[in-house]
Every structure is written in C-alpha cells, then in structure tokens.
Amino acid sequence: QIKLGFHIYLGPQQLQVINRINQELGSIISYGTFDVISKLLLKILEFVYNLVHNWGVAIIILSLLIYFILYPLTLKQMRSMKRMQELQPKIELIRQTYKDNPQRLNKEIMELYKKEKANPFSGCLPMILQLPIFFALYQALIRSIELKGAKFLWIKDLSEPDRLIMLAKPLPLLGNEINILPVLMAILMFL
C-alpha cells in the first residue's frame, strides 16, 4: 500500500500570500517571457501603492517612472527618425538616378549615410530595448490580482475595461461601449 500526500493551493496568484504558505511555491508563478522584469515592476508597483494607497495612481506613477527612465532612448529614436526623414529627399534622388543599377544604388545610399553620419537602424534599436519592458508591464498588470475590484476615478474595477458609456445598439468599430481611456491616451500621445 502506497500513501501519497499532496498540498494544494486554490486561490489567486497573489505572490505575497503564496510566499507566506511556502517560499518555494512563489517560483511557480510565471509572468511570461519577461518574468524577471514583470516581477520587478510588480514590486515597484506595490511599493508605490503602499505610498499612495490607490492602484490607479500607483499605475500612473509607475508609468511615468518608466517613461522618464526610457526617455533618453525615446529621444534618441525620435532624433534618428527625424534625421532619416531629412535625408529622404536625397535618398529618393539617388533611387531615381540609379534605379537600374541596384548595386550602385545601395553603395550610394550607404555612402550618403556615412557622409551624413546617419544610421537607419539607430531608430529601431531603442525600440527593441524598450519592448521587453512594455511586454513585462502588460503581463504584470493583466495578471495582477490586486487590481481586481480596485476603483479609480469613474472606473469601478481596474482589472476590466473602463466602460464609461454603454450603448443600447452597437456602433461600427466601437461596439456597444465607449471607453474614454484609449481616447485620452491617443490624444496625449499626439500632444
């Protein structure tokens, strides 16, 4: 006769609660590919929450913190994109001149980049470095049980979409609800 014993935890994936039960169990919670970054961002979010006692304000502060930390990369990316935009008329002229000779076309464009000290990939590199942080933040927020039932401004639950207005009949492209946060985000990004 063989006796087997099991310990089962049925509950939310709340790291603090699980670690109180057994420190080893906390390692089974995974936030995806960028797990380490997600856990770090969650710890910072919890620290900010303990200061301000509002999850919505804590998310805004964390987002601003990430924005300011990544701002040098964003600025470099924007400058590189602007530089490439300024070179576009010269590149177009080279393309028209050497449209029948692809090897010469590539050579002339590379010489232009060298002469103007421009790198077409320097606009992509900062974005590639930022993507893991954004993916990790998304995974941390989407799987965070602490946001369940948390209120912020007109939002009754931060773990759900911010349904400001529910419509009786669905509108094309919008559906049957109007969410104001995506609209505000688009306006702020434009500004």
Side-chain angles (χ1 to χ4, degrees), residues 15 18-29 39:
L15 200 55
I18 293 172
N19 280 339
R20 270 189 254 134
I21 297 168
N22 186 338
Q23 286 283 20
E24 294 173 8
L25 290 179
S27 64
I28 64 170
I29 295 178
K39 287 180 179 176

Side-chain angles (χ1 to χ4, degrees), residues 13-183:
Q13 287 187 1
Q14 197 167 7
L15 200 55
Q16 292 171 335
V17 174
I18 293 172
N19 280 339
R20 270 189 254 134
I21 297 168
N22 186 338
Q23 286 283 20
E24 294 173 8
L25 290 179
S27 64
I28 64 170
I29 295 178
S30 175
Y31 292 97
T33 306
F34 306 107
D35 183 64
V36 174
I37 301 170
S38 292
K39 287 180 179 176
L40 175 66
L41 291 173
L42 266 179
K43 284 182 182 181
I44 295 169
L45 183 65
E46 287 172 4
F47 174 77
V48 174
Y49 171 77
N50 289 330
L51 294 175
V52 297
H53 303 292
N54 185 300
W55 285 109
V57 174
I59 291 170
I60 291 171
I61 291 171
L62 177 64
S63 299
L64 287 172
L65 181 67
I66 291 170
Y67 174 79
F68 287 122
I69 290 171
L70 295 177
Y71 184 73
L73 290 174
T74 304
L75 189 62
K76 183 169 178 52
Q77 176 185 356
M78 291 172 74
R79 284 182 179 157
S80 175
M81 288 170 58
K82 181 74 172 158
R83 185 76 180 119
M84 292 305 294
Q85 197 175 29
E86 290 169 358
L87 290 177
Q88 205 58 40
K90 292 179 182 179
I91 292 171
E92 198 55 44
L93 183 66
I94 291 171
R95 282 194 177 130
Q96 289 175 359
T97 306
Y98 300 105
K99 62 183 171 190
D100 296 330
N101 189 347
Q103 285 91 6
R104 183 77 191 265
L105 171 70
N106 289 334
K107 183 181 178 198
E108 292 294 326
I109 289 176
M110 288 302 146
E111 285 179 16
L112 176 68
Y113 289 153
K114 193 180 286 185
K115 185 178 105 181
E116 297 288 337
K117 294 184 173 110
N119 185 348
F121 300 110
S122 64
C124 300
L125 184 62
M127 188 184 311
I128 291 170
L129 294 173
Q130 294 175 40
L131 279 177
I133 295 170
F134 295 135
F135 286 139
L137 180 61
Y138 174 75
Q139 288 298 324
L141 292 176
I142 198 102
R143 296 178 185 196
S144 180
I145 191 68
E146 289 85 1
L147 300 180
K148 184 81 174 142
K151 294 176 176 34
F152 180 67
L153 299 176
W154 65 88
I155 304 169
K156 293 176 179 67
D157 189 347
L158 284 174
S159 66
E160 295 181 11
D162 68 297
R163 295 177 186 97
L164 183 64
I165 300 170
M166 295 293 289
L167 304 171
K169 293 184 178 180
L171 296 174
L173 300 173
L174 289 178
N176 61 346
E177 56 193 42
I178 295 178
N179 303 340
I180 194 72
L181 285 181
V183 174

